[in-house]
């Protein structure tokens, strides 16, 4: 592929312009977080903070329950990822390897589960959880998040297992492995990239949830997740935009780091399940 | 393996059993937290109840919720808002997503970095995206109003979240920013599965860049785009966080979609029966719409 210098210029120009446009909101979040309140209430806005207030991060961390919110988010995510992965690794493997009666209708059903509006499901779940006195507990969130996650992870993993040749575990079984042993010792290690991608996706889904946290935990501030907590920082009449932005950085950074780290796997995993 | 085991799952005749056993936890869990609640929802929508208690005797069967729903202008308004949002956000995400994917599919230095940058909004949680855009759309010192004023497109600062038309666009822009990377990621994967031989052959035959796009890229991308389109549409349909946190469905219900209406009827007014009816209707629309769009391609989703 040979480009004329003009074509190269056009290509790089477009890429840089577009990237700038896409990344600008994130940049603006950072600028806002380190701006003074006075800077933020003037026009024209300053696009480069001359007097960066890094202290806002420390202030928000100490004065707001951000460590608690982050811990809760982390616990809910770890809990629901663990639960969903155990369940959907088994199910995805079964759907990939065994002829299961009703497998197709089961697929259609999970497809429907993907279409369920969370706002519909949250109504009966609220009634059920309230009945068991589970409102306000992080365990409730773990269970609720797994409803979001399992339909996705099961099909992502099925798609991934389909790409792994059956001969692998057949060879292992000839060598004396039990079917379960073959899966655990041979297939799962080979599937590590797929497992990593799927877990990451599950983690993102749990971390991003707001609807369930708001419904089940709103009256239990000790269990607030980061997303729920941060919305409470938006005041009725005025909002300290620098403080809420600094808090938002704390909430967004873990997920962005994980994402950058595992991006390659993620794209493979996400499309393995969908693109067939 | 000389031991005779009662449940020797390695025996070929028993292997399918193992399949069912492995599937059991998923079926059980999904049944418990998706199917059962769904049945309760449908049942609730057919009762005139405010806030139901589990275990209490079932209220008499009635279609009053649905009658009230179809007769209410609020419901039709919510349908209209949802439709507008679905069209605008899907079109915006599709155009931006496909064009960024085509762009970063070129070979150039820094391509990996460009790909990461263009998929970044996907990793930003919706609530955080809203925090960012709520400030950009701030009515007093927001960047967007200032930009429009500076460009001469607006006479004064716009009260985004208290002006119906403006609020709709604030929601739509936030959703497009958050939603297009998904299209981009899927398209890119689709593009990479097209063999380069096809392009080389077309070049030999003298096809120009537009012809190659029209006759090779587009047709081969269609299956992926179809699935992606449906997933994006369903996402807009179901979205709760972005609208709820950004505008609360207001002002004057101008951003109240079916999802927001479901939620507010249940947890704002405690009309659980009525809310369930809205939710069930939303679900039916989602299922019918996606089956219509996918048709025979339904299998492609898994």
């Amino acid at each position: 592929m040979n480009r004329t210098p003009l074509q190269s210029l056009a290509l790089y120009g477009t890429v840089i312009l577009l990237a700038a446009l896409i990344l600008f909101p994130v940049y603006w979040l950072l600028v806002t977080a380190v701006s003074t309140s006075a800077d933020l209430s003037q026009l024209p806005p300053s696009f480069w903070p001359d007097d960066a207030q890094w202290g806002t991060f420390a202030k928000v961390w100490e004065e707001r329950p951000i460590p608690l919110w982050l811990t809760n988010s982390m616990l809910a995510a770890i809990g629901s990822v663990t639960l969903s992965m155990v369940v959907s690794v088994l199910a995805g493997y079964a759907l990939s390897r065994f002829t299961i009666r009703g497998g197709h209708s089961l697929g259609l059903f999970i497809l429907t589960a993907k279409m369920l509006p969370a706002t519909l499901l949250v109504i009966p779940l609220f009634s059920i959880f309230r009945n068991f006195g589970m409102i306000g507990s992080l365990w409730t969130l773990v269970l609720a998040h797994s409803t979001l996650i399992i339909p996705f992870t099961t099909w992502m993993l099925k798609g991934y297992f389909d790409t792994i040749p059956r001969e692998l575990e057949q060879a292992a079984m000839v060598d004396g492995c039990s079917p379960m042993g073959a899966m655990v010792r041979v297939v799962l290690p080979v599937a590590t990239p797929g497992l990593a991608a799927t877990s990451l996706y599950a983690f993102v889904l749990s971390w991003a949830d707001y609807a369930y946290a708001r419904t089940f935990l709103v009256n239990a501030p000790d269990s607030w997740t980061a997303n729920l907590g941060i919305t409470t920082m938006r005041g009725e009449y005025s909002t300290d935009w620098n403080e809420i932005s600094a808090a938002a950085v704390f909430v967004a950074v873990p997920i962005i780091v994980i994402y950058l780290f595992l991006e390659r796997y993620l794209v493979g995993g996400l499309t393995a399940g969908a693109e067939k | 393996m000389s031991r005779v085991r009662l449940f020797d799952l390695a025996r070929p005749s028993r292997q399918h059993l193992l399949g069912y056993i492995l599937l059991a936890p998923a079926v059980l869990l999904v049944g418990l937290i998706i199917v059962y609640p769904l049945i309760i929802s449908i049942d609730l929508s057919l009762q005139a109840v405010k806030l139901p208690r589990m275990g209490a005797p079932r209220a008499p069967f009635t279609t009053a919720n649905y009658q009230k729903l179809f007769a209410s202008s609020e419901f039709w308004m919510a349908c209209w808002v949802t439709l507008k949002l679905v069209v605008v956000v899907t079109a915006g995400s599709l155009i931006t997503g496909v064009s960024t994917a085509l762009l970063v599919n070129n070979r150039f230095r820094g391509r990996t970095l460009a790909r990461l940058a263009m998929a970044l909004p996907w990793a930003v949680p919706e609530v955080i995206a809203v925090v960012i855009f709520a400030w950009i759309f701030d009515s007093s010192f927001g960047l967007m109003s200032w930009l429009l004023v500076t460009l001469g497109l607006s006479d004064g600062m716009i009260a985004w979240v208290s002006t119906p038309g403006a609020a709709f666009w604030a929601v739509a822009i936030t959703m497009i920013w958050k939603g297009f990377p998904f299209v981009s990621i899927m398209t890119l994967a689709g593009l990479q599965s097209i063999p380069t031989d096809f392009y080389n052959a077309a070049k030999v035959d003298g096809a120009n860049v537009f012809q190659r796009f029209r006759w090779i890229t587009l047709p081969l991308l269609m299956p992926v785009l179809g699935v992606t389109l449906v997933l994006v549409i369903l996402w807009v349909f179901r979205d709760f966080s972005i609208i709820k946190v950004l505008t609360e469905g207001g002002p004057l219900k101008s951003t109240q979609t079916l999802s927001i209406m479901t939620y507010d009827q249940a947890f704002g007014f405690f009309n659980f029966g009525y809310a369930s009816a809205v939710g069930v209707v939303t679900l039916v629309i989602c299922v019918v719409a996606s089956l219509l769009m996918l048709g025979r391609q339904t299998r492609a989703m898994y």
Side-chain angles (χ1 to χ4, degrees):
Chain A
M1 276 226 254
N2 293 314
R3 285 189 202 93
T4 62
L6 197 67
Q7 281 174 325
S8 289
L9 193 71
L11 179 67
Y12 279 104
T14 321
V15 169
I16 290 170
L17 190 74
L18 220 69
L21 210 59
I22 292 164
L23 294 181
F24 180 78
V26 177
Y27 168 76
W28 195 234
L29 176 77
L30 294 172
V31 170
T32 306
V34 298
S35 297
T36 62
S37 302
D39 276 344
L40 293 178
S41 47
Q42 67 175 25
L43 289 172
S46 65
F47 289 91
W48 182 256
D50 294 321
D51 171 28
Q53 304 288 312
W54 297 100
T56 312
F57 286 103
K59 180 167 178 263
V60 166
W61 185 267
E62 278 159 19
E63 290 177 5
R64 306 277 187 159
I66 293 192
L68 174 73
W69 295 343
L70 288 175
T71 313
N72 287 337
S73 276
M74 196 61 90
L75 288 175
I78 291 173
S80 46
V81 170
T82 312
L83 178 64
S84 311
M85 284 304 283
V86 169
V87 168
S88 52
V89 161
L90 299 179
Y93 186 74
L95 288 171
S96 162
R97 290 301 197 259
F98 300 95
T99 334
I100 291 189
R101 202 173 302 178
H104 182 68
S105 25
L106 197 73
L108 277 179
F109 172 72
I110 293 190
L111 194 69
T112 319
K114 282 187 190 176
M115 297 175 198
L116 276 179
T119 44
L120 172 64
L121 212 52
V122 82
I123 297 170
L125 283 177
F126 181 79
S127 309
I128 297 170
F129 289 142
R130 196 175 56 137
N131 193 46
F132 289 104
M134 288 169 70
I135 298 294
S137 150
L138 271 181
W139 291 107
T140 314
L141 210 56
V142 168
L143 268 179
H145 284 180
S146 56
T147 65
L148 294 173
I149 298 172
I150 289 175
F152 284 92
T153 49
T154 302
W155 286 108
M156 270 176 82
L157 287 168
K158 179 201 179 281
Y160 202 83
F161 286 134
D162 282 346
T163 65
I164 298 172
R166 280 162 192 251
E167 284 74 22
L168 270 183
E169 63 251 53
Q170 281 164 356
M173 283 194 278
V174 169
D175 289 343
C177 255
S178 69
M180 278 307 280
M183 177 193 154
V184 174
R185 285 191 224 155
V186 180
V187 181
L188 290 189
V190 178
T192 310
L195 295 180
T198 314
S199 315
L200 168 75
Y201 192 55
F203 191 92
V204 173
L205 284 178
S206 172
W207 191 271
D209 165 70
Y210 169 71
Y212 286 123
R214 179 190 163 104
T215 314
F216 301 139
L217 305 178
V218 74
N219 292 320
D222 286 343
S223 303
W224 282 358
T225 57
N227 280 337
L228 178 57
I230 208 163
T231 57
T232 64
M233 289 178 69
R234 259 184 92 188
E236 186 104 10
Y237 302 104
S238 73
T239 302
D240 294 319
W241 286 106
N242 51 351
E243 293 194 11
I244 194 172
S245 298
V249 170
F250 285 124
V251 180
V253 160
I255 210 80
I256 290 177
V257 169
I258 299 179
Y259 162 81
L260 291 176
F261 198 61
L262 283 171
E263 191 259 357
R264 267 180 315 134
Y265 293 134
L266 186 69
V267 175
L270 204 62
T271 46
E275 181 211 327
K276 262 212 216 84
Chain B
M1 291 261 261
S2 58
R3 274 186 304 145
V4 177
R5 280 189 285 166
L6 193 55
F7 291 109
D8 184 2
L9 293 170
R11 265 174 60 184
S13 63
R14 292 265 167 73
Q15 278 200 0
H16 70 282
L17 254 182
L18 180 64
Y20 290 107
I21 293 172
L22 295 181
L23 207 56
V27 172
L28 205 70
L29 201 60
V30 166
L32 215 64
I33 53 182
I34 300 182
V35 182
Y36 174 57
L38 190 61
I39 294 169
I40 296 186
S41 280
I42 296 170
D43 191 38
L44 272 178
S45 74
L46 295 166
Q47 303 173 54
V49 287
K50 299 286 280 179
L51 183 62
R53 291 201 71 80
M54 302 282 296
R58 191 186 177 285
F61 174 88
T62 168
T63 55
N65 290 323
Y66 289 97
Q67 287 168 8
K68 186 180 156 198
L69 185 68
F70 291 121
S72 95
S73 59
E74 189 184 355
F75 169 74
W76 294 110
M77 169 91 175
C79 285
W80 173 235
V81 172
T82 312
L83 182 70
K84 266 198 305 183
L85 200 64
V86 163
V87 171
V88 171
V89 174
T90 310
S93 306
L94 213 63
I95 293 168
T96 324
V98 172
S99 36
T100 46
L102 287 172
L103 192 64
V104 297
N105 195 41
N106 285 304
R107 270 164 224 249
F108 58 89
R109 213 182 286 236
R111 176 169 77 159
T112 318
L113 208 64
R115 281 186 185 175
L116 280 179
M118 288 184 185
L120 190 72
W122 186 81
V124 175
E126 291 187 339
V127 171
I128 304 303
V130 172
V131 168
I132 301 175
F133 279 90
W135 169 226
I136 289 178
F137 288 112
D138 185 68
S139 51
S140 318
F141 300 103
L143 203 59
M144 192 61 91
S145 289
W146 172 81
L147 191 70
L148 294 181
V149 171
T150 311
L151 293 174
L153 295 172
S154 167
D155 299 335
M157 297 301 277
I158 301 165
W160 291 94
V161 283
S162 48
T163 316
F168 177 82
W169 286 103
V171 167
I173 290 171
T174 310
M175 289 188 90
I176 292 172
W177 184 77
K178 174 73 188 130
F180 89 85
F182 177 71
V183 180
S184 198
I185 291 172
M186 298 290 280
T187 310
L188 202 54
L191 286 174
Q192 282 167 353
S193 67
I194 303 176
T196 43
D197 294 357
F198 288 17
Y199 291 104
N200 295 336
K203 269 186 214 167
V204 170
D205 290 345
N208 65 32
V209 65
F210 294 106
Q211 287 170 327
R212 293 199 296 269
F213 177 75
R214 172 65 188 86
W215 300 106
I216 303 175
T217 315
L218 211 53
L220 289 173
L221 215 50
M222 264 348 235
V224 181
L225 280 184
V227 174
T228 311
L229 185 75
V230 172
L231 291 175
V232 172
I233 289 175
L234 290 179
W235 169 67
V236 182
F237 238 105
R238 288 189 322 233
D239 176 73
F240 169 75
S241 326
I242 292 182
I243 304 175
K244 189 67 188 172
V245 183
L246 194 59
T247 64
E248 298 248 358
L252 301 173
K253 306 199 185 302
S254 63
T255 55
Q256 178 175 275
T257 57
L258 288 166
S259 273
I260 301 290
M261 185 179 171
T262 310
Y263 192 87
D264 287 349
Q265 283 297 334
F267 298 100
F269 306 107
F270 293 103
N271 292 324
F272 273 48
Y274 185 54
S276 300
V278 186
V280 169
V281 171
T282 314
L283 176 64
V284 170
I285 299 175
C286 283
V287 172
V288 171
S290 51
L291 288 182
L292 279 180
M293 275 184 301
L294 283 169
R296 274 175 304 152
Q297 273 182 27
T298 318
R299 280 172 150 272
M301 287 187 74
Y302 49 83

